[in-house]
Amino acid sequence: MEILSSRTILRPRDYDAALEFYGGKLGLAIAREYPAGTVFFAGQSLIEIAAHGRGDTDQTFQGALWLQVRDVYECEAELALAGVPIVREARREPWGLHELWVADPDGVPIVLVQIPDDHPLRRDVRTPSTGRLNPSDQ
């Protein structure tokens, strides 16, 4: 299977509140609009807010959105000024990432992550000669 692109589709209870949150409060740029939805750029991915496809039963998104940012502490200050409730303040986690937790109007968890320069996610763990992962780094 060859994946060419991907996006996360959210079907909020209140479409307008979701648009205000993702576009206004988080400041995501619009990639595309269509009559029943809006797609936002989110780094190398897309987040689609769909006003269609929601059934009569209440749906709960069981995952979380993981969004990498340059400075999580600066984001925390910006979001607080914008009136976004902070679920969990920005802090360095035991695994080395700096994380800030917020939630969208439907309670979808959003993890804003800053990856320090010295973190393993920033290292190339492939063996130079083969391009394969080095077994000691797995």
Side-chain angles (χ1 to χ4, degrees), residues 18-19 22-23 28-31 38-42 45-49:
L19 289 184
Y22 286 95
L28 300 182
I30 294 173
T38 302
V39 180
F40 291 98
F41 288 109
S45 188
L46 298 167
I47 298 172
E48 179 174 346
I49 306 301

Side-chain angles (χ1 to χ4, degrees), residues 35-106:
T38 302
V39 180
F40 291 98
F41 288 109
Q44 297 174 352
S45 188
L46 298 167
I47 298 172
E48 179 174 346
I49 306 301
H52 61 86
R54 186 173 181 85
D56 291 336
T57 59
D58 198 24
Q59 300 176 18
T60 304
F61 182 77
Q62 296 296 318
L65 299 177
W66 191 93
L67 304 174
Q68 183 182 348
V69 297
R70 291 188 192 283
D71 186 328
V72 74
Y73 302 96
E74 185 178 300
C75 290
E76 182 175 31
E78 289 175 18
L79 293 172
L81 282 174
V84 174
I86 305 299
V87 173
R88 205 188 73 201
E89 75 284 346
R91 62 179 169 218
R92 185 177 177 114
E93 298 294 349
W95 44 90
L97 299 176
H98 296 262
E99 295 184 4
L100 165 69
W101 286 67
V102 297
D104 81 359
D106 281 338

Side-chain angles (χ1 to χ4, degrees), residues 88-133:
R88 205 188 73 201
E89 75 284 346
R91 62 179 169 218
R92 185 177 177 114
E93 298 294 349
W95 44 90
L97 299 176
H98 296 262
E99 295 184 4
L100 165 69
W101 286 67
V102 297
D104 81 359
D106 281 338
V108 173
I110 300 170
V111 185
L112 299 169
V113 179
Q114 176 182 337
I115 303 172
D117 291 339
D118 62 345
H119 193 276
L121 285 174
R122 293 205 183 258
R123 284 197 333 237
D124 187 348
V125 295
R126 295 172 295 175
T127 303
S129 61
T130 66
R132 295 191 177 133
L133 288 178

